[in-house]
Amino acid sequence: MDAVEGHRRTDSPASHTPTGLATAVTAADGTVLRWSTGAAALLGRTAGEVCGRPLTDLLAPAPGGTGIGPAPGDRTAPVPVRAALAPGTPTADGGEVRQALLRHRSGAEIPVTLRAVAFDGSDERLVLMVPDGPAGESDDGTALLRALLTQDRIGVSIHRPDLSVARANTGHGTAAAPALPVGGHLDDLLAEDDAAATEAALRHVLETGRPLVGLEHRLRAARPGAAERSASLSAVRLEDALGRPTGLAVLRTDATEQARARDRLELRHLAFSRVGGSLRVHRTAQDLAEVLVPAFGDLAWVDLAEAVLVGDEPPRHLGGGDLHLRRQAVSPSDGRWPDGMIRPGGVIPPFPDVPFVRAIQGGRAVALDRAAVERGLVAPAHIRAAVPEGGHALAVAPLFARGLVLGMVAVWRTTRPEPFDRADTDLLTEIAAHAALSVDNARRYTREHRAAAALQQRLLPRAGVRTSTVETAGSYLPAAGGAEIGGDWFDVIELPSLRVALVVGDVIGHGLHATATMGRLRTAVQTLADLELAPDELLAHLDDLVARLGAEARPEDSDGVGATCLFALHDPVSGQCAMASAGHPPPLLADADGTVRAVPLSPGPPLGVGGLPFETATVRLAPGSVLALYTDGLLDRPDHDLDAAVRRLRDRLAASLPRGSLQSVGRGMLAEAVLPARDDIALLLARVRALPPEATAQWEFPAEPSAVAPARAAAARRLEDWGMAESAFGVELIVSELVTNAVRYAGGPVGLRLIRDRVLVCEVTDPSNTQPRLRRARSTDEGGRGLFLVAQLSSRWGSRYGPSGKTIWAELPLPA
């Protein structure tokens, strides 16, 4: 035994863990004869240090006393000795029990109970040294440990320093996990992903002594297909009387419901923050499906009524039949949609009239097992299209908003073993209700967007115009990839004498208000262009109109009424193009040789500012050159460098014009814009052609009555040269009346010009600015019938003003 053989053993002073009982054998005078390894571990002193010395030398010091000397190599000073042991208590075996404080080698005081037992026929005594705590602590600790190890609601285990189990409530399976066997490890219970992290946390407790509280981890499934469970783990370090770690006490409590509640709360928050961020029905449906997988189930889809997709209200339906649903979104956990199941865009087959269908139509979510789904759907084809392989639990919730069932969301569980419960269906109902409002908002936006788009398409001109003197191609791209219809527009206005007006504008804002304002401005531009005003004068009138529109608007909307506009007027006979800008970027001009440059034009203020003039710039357009008019949305770049954006646009135009038509060039330039565009983009490309020299003829006559006859004769000869002798009579009458009026009322010189194209144009120019006026002459009047005859002989007529004087023109159809 240790008490007898301890003197032949030597224990290292650095030993930390007591081994066996702390005992000693003393002589009658108290000298230590034998010293056990347990005693050496308790006080940190070997048998060689203690044997041969009085046991009283090990008592804790009292002031002024002397104590046991240091062991070899021990630098601890001699320890004073208390005067005596506390009075002893006799025992039945003739021994006695005393309370004492012993001194550890490190200087720490260890309270112990000393029990001395005499040997029969010998003066020697066996002394047992039992470490004490506060009164009653040992009994309370034993009672507490016994209570913990015998209950079955909390998993309790005592672990050695290597984290193996020394004791556990073995035989009592707990709510947190099966019981741990002695010698096992916590890793045997934990899910593989959590095992390493939990073990590291426990070792940290063992090393630092800092308790671990409420570490949540997932438990390894007890059997294949079992529901996943969670546990909350707390751990404290166990220490001996000297504060040395001897292991861990670990408590495990079931946290499955808390974990599920937290997961549901996190899923709810994720759904509310992610679903509804788009005004597109399809995007909202896809976000809903993706939120639910894998957090809620393994496979989800969203079906919507066909009417919702185009912005209309779905019909109210109760019972089975064709519900006119289409699949809009799917989300499988493994990224692969099962073969045979309905894919996005597919039509949902008719439903039977079963209770769960009516429940969904009534706005309630349902949870079904696989058997209930198969019994309800009946048709094998419908079952194959709705039930995935391995699917055992289905939850379906309606997208119910404002009294309308817009569609439904369905979630299957295939690999997750637990069925859907009431808490799950309540959560799905809440998420579906939020998503339904978002879908309904997207539906309403779709309806308004469709109306605005239809309005704008009807307000915009034809995309392309082709005449003998110009070819145009217009393109329009709404903001946000088509989500925001705005007020950008372009226009091509064919004017008399083969002239063409090219217009591009940008109204402030987006939506129906901007579209309506754009329609009013486009109509105004067309009206003013028909008056054949100069570009700067036309913009001045348009500026007044926008100012009036701002004055008529509500006070909160008055600052949002405004626009920019560029108006260009091309004359194919002279080859000149006059243009003016109201706050709009200058156009680009691509010459026939491929050189692209910005037109030197100084933009005036935007429309609606008022009080400032507009400037007209005139450039010559050579045959084959291309003029590019655009809105500032085409210049929008993340770096906001306007000059760099213009250079990029110029380079793209130069590179693409030689290779394609105007339509393809326009599409390519829009395709290279930053998408989704933050502003609308309107682009108008115009390629000019030359009018053949032989298609025009012009003369000049003095302001004398005798000039009328030569003017008629000159016109008749040219018509004969053009093979249009049959039109000579009407043309001669028009020339006669217009030249006569010019000679009589305006003075000279008088210009006469004929232009032959799709129509025959007759123009008479004089230096007067007096507006000609058509009137009905009375039967007794000698004059006043000239313009009436002109109006009767021509298809249309009018006048325009130039820098000096006016031009009266008349158009006649060409002979068949």
Side-chain angles (χ1 to χ4, degrees):
M1 59 179 290
D2 287 340
V4 177
E5 299 180 5
H7 70 284
R8 288 194 286 267
R9 300 182 182 179
T10 58
D11 293 331
S12 169
S15 174
H16 295 292
T17 305
T19 57
L21 295 174
T23 60
V25 177
T26 63
D29 60 358
T31 301
V32 178
L33 301 178
R34 296 172 181 81
W35 190 250
S36 73
T37 55
L42 177 64
L43 298 182
R45 298 184 182 278
T46 64
E49 298 178 81
V50 178
C51 291
R53 302 191 180 208
L55 181 62
T56 55
D57 288 356
L58 299 177
L59 296 176
T66 60
I68 189 170
D74 185 2
R75 299 181 180 181
T76 305
V79 180
V81 180
R82 293 185 185 272
L85 293 173
T89 301
T91 62
D93 57 5
E96 60 179 337
V97 176
R98 297 171 181 261
Q99 301 296 324
L101 288 176
L102 299 182
R103 182 62 178 263
H104 189 269
R105 178 187 182 88
S106 65
E109 296 180 351
I110 302 176
V112 297
T113 298
L114 297 179
R115 180 172 182 175
V117 180
F119 290 103
D120 291 339
S122 172
D123 293 335
E124 296 180 353
R125 291 190 175 192
L126 174 64
V127 180
L128 284 78
M129 295 168 279
V130 180
D132 289 344
E137 179 180 306
S138 178
D139 293 341
D140 291 344
T142 301
L144 174 62
L145 183 60
R146 183 183 301 110
L148 289 175
L149 292 177
T150 56
Q151 56 76 49
D152 61 358
R153 299 293 297 171
I154 303 174
V156 181
S157 53
I158 306 299
H159 295 255
R160 302 185 182 97
D162 64 352
L163 300 185
S164 62
V165 178
R167 295 187 66 182
N169 47 350
T170 307
H172 295 80
T174 68
L180 278 168
V182 174
H185 287 76
L186 276 175
D187 295 358
D188 300 333
L189 296 179
L190 304 183
E192 184 176 353
D193 296 342
D194 292 352
T198 304
E199 182 178 351
L202 293 178
R203 292 196 179 280
H204 183 72
V205 175
L206 196 62
E207 294 170 0
T208 64
R210 296 176 182 173
L212 176 68
V213 179
L215 175 65
E216 193 167 301
H217 56 267
R218 294 174 297 114
L219 299 175
R220 195 185 303 275
R223 64 184 184 280
E228 183 179 277
R229 304 192 65 84
S230 298
S232 177
L233 183 146
S234 299
V236 294
R237 187 172 74 177
L238 302 178
E239 301 174 348
D240 61 13
L242 300 178
R244 295 171 298 192
T246 60
L248 293 173
V250 177
L251 283 80
R252 305 183 311 280
T253 57
D254 185 25
T256 302
E257 289 305 317
Q258 295 90 323
R260 290 177 180 174
R262 185 182 62 253
D263 291 343
R264 293 187 185 107
L265 184 62
E266 291 176 354
L267 177 58
R268 178 182 179 276
H269 174 74
L270 177 63
F272 276 57
S273 61
R274 180 173 174 182
V275 178
S278 172
L279 285 176
R280 294 186 176 183
V281 173
H282 172 74
R283 182 69 261 171
T284 302
Q286 188 62 44
D287 288 342
L288 173 60
E290 292 176 356
V291 159
L292 295 172
V293 176
F296 192 73
D298 303 304
L299 181 145
W301 68 69
V302 178
D303 298 335
L304 296 177
E306 294 176 345
V308 172
L309 305 179
V310 295
D312 296 333
E313 290 188 355
R316 299 179 184 272
H317 199 101
L318 185 62
D322 189 355
L323 305 184
H324 301 285
L325 298 176
R326 282 187 179 271
R327 183 140 302 166
Q328 281 302 297
V330 298
S331 180
S333 59
D334 59 0
R336 185 181 62 84
W337 190 247
D339 295 334
M341 298 192 69
I342 302 173
R343 297 184 175 275
V347 177
I348 307 304
F351 284 91
D353 190 0
V354 292
F356 77 80
V357 172
R358 287 180 174 263
I360 295 169
Q361 292 170 339
R364 292 188 292 112
V366 297
L368 306 167
D369 58 19
R370 184 187 185 102
V373 175
E374 293 177 347
R375 285 195 305 269
L377 295 180
V378 180
H382 201 171
I383 294 174
R384 288 193 299 270
V387 181
E389 182 180 355
H392 64 88
L394 171 67
V396 184
L399 299 177
F400 192 78
R402 301 182 179 94
L404 298 173
V405 178
L406 308 177
M408 62 184 67
V409 55
V411 186
W412 275 100
R413 284 179 176 172
T414 57
T415 59
R416 292 178 57 170
E418 62 271 17
F420 291 107
D421 56 19
R422 178 62 180 272
D424 291 328
T425 55
D426 289 345
L427 174 63
L428 184 60
T429 299
E430 190 175 3
I431 293 175
H434 169 75
L437 289 176
S438 301
V439 169
D440 194 50
N441 289 336
R443 176 192 67 82
R444 293 183 173 204
Y445 174 79
T446 300
R447 182 180 59 194
E448 294 183 4
H449 179 271
R450 185 179 61 176
L455 174 62
Q456 186 166 47
Q457 291 301 318
R458 283 166 173 76
L459 292 176
L460 288 175
R462 292 173 295 167
V465 174
R466 183 185 294 268
T467 69
S468 59
T469 58
V470 67
E471 175 193 2
T472 66
S475 303
Y476 172 76
L477 180 65
E484 296 184 7
I485 297 295
D488 287 21
W489 89 94
F490 60 86
D491 210 346
V492 180
I493 307 172
E494 298 183 59
L495 297 174
S497 304
L498 307 185
R499 298 182 308 152
V500 176
L502 306 173
V503 188
V504 66
D506 184 358
V507 175
I508 294 175
H510 298 91
L512 284 174
H513 174 74
T515 302
T517 302
M518 178 269 284
R520 300 175 73 175
L521 293 184
R522 180 172 178 246
T523 301
V525 170
Q526 290 182 333
T527 301
L528 294 172
D530 283 339
L531 296 177
E532 302 195 61
L533 302 176
D536 56 341
E537 188 177 355
L538 182 144
L539 290 182
H541 286 288
L542 200 61
D543 182 51
D544 294 338
L545 172 62
V546 174
R548 287 197 299 272
L549 293 178
E552 295 172 0
R554 295 178 302 179
E556 60 270 22
D557 297 333
S558 58
D559 292 339
V561 178
T564 64
C565 183
L566 176 69
F567 184 86
L569 184 60
H570 175 240
D571 186 348
V573 178
S574 65
Q576 301 292 323
C577 183
M579 62 187 70
S581 169
H584 209 83
L588 297 178
L589 176 59
D591 294 326
D593 61 0
T595 304
V596 179
R597 55 190 170 89
V599 175
L601 174 65
S602 298
L607 298 175
V609 174
L612 296 174
F614 301 98
E615 298 182 11
T616 298
T618 303
V619 295
R620 181 172 182 80
L621 301 184
S625 58
V626 175
L627 196 64
L629 292 75
Y630 55 90
T631 57
D632 57 2
L634 196 57
L635 302 178
D636 190 15
R637 288 286 170 177
D639 55 12
H640 302 290
D641 189 340
L642 185 61
D643 293 335
V646 173
R647 288 195 299 271
R648 284 192 291 266
L649 182 61
R650 185 181 60 200
D651 294 341
R652 289 204 305 270
L653 183 61
S656 57
L657 272 175
R659 299 195 303 268
S661 63
L662 291 184
Q663 288 80 3
S664 62
V665 171
R667 289 193 298 268
M669 294 179 70
L670 291 186
E672 295 183 15
V674 176
L675 298 177
R678 292 182 295 181
D679 194 7
D680 300 12
I681 299 175
L683 174 65
L684 178 61
L685 301 176
R687 177 181 283 121
V688 299
R689 299 188 179 94
L691 193 66
E694 63 274 11
T696 62
Q698 56 185 5
W699 304 268
E700 187 174 286
F701 303 98
E704 299 174 355
S706 59
V708 175
R712 293 178 60 175
R717 287 194 301 270
R718 181 47 61 100
L719 291 176
E720 186 176 354
D721 293 341
W722 285 341
M724 300 172 58
E726 62 272 25
S727 301
F729 177 75
V731 173
E732 287 184 47
L733 281 179
I734 292 174
V735 170
S736 177
E737 293 298 332
L738 295 181
V739 172
T740 298
N741 285 344
V743 170
R744 181 177 298 176
Y745 302 110
V750 177
L752 172 62
R753 183 168 68 174
L754 297 179
I755 305 173
R756 186 193 66 178
D757 191 64
R758 293 176 301 173
V759 295
L760 179 64
V761 182
C762 178
E763 297 179 344
V764 174
T765 303
D766 62 58
S768 172
N769 290 323
T770 303
Q771 174 69 32
R773 184 167 59 91
L774 177 66
R775 65 185 179 89
R776 183 177 296 275
R778 291 174 295 183
S779 59
T780 57
D781 291 343
E782 295 183 359
R785 297 176 177 84
L787 290 181
F788 179 78
L789 289 175
V790 171
Q792 295 300 311
L793 295 171
S794 62
S795 56
R796 63 173 181 162
W797 72 279
S799 64
R800 64 176 179 271
Y801 294 91
S804 57
K806 67 178 181 296
T807 298
I808 302 176
W809 54 268
E811 289 184 359
L812 292 85
L814 295 180

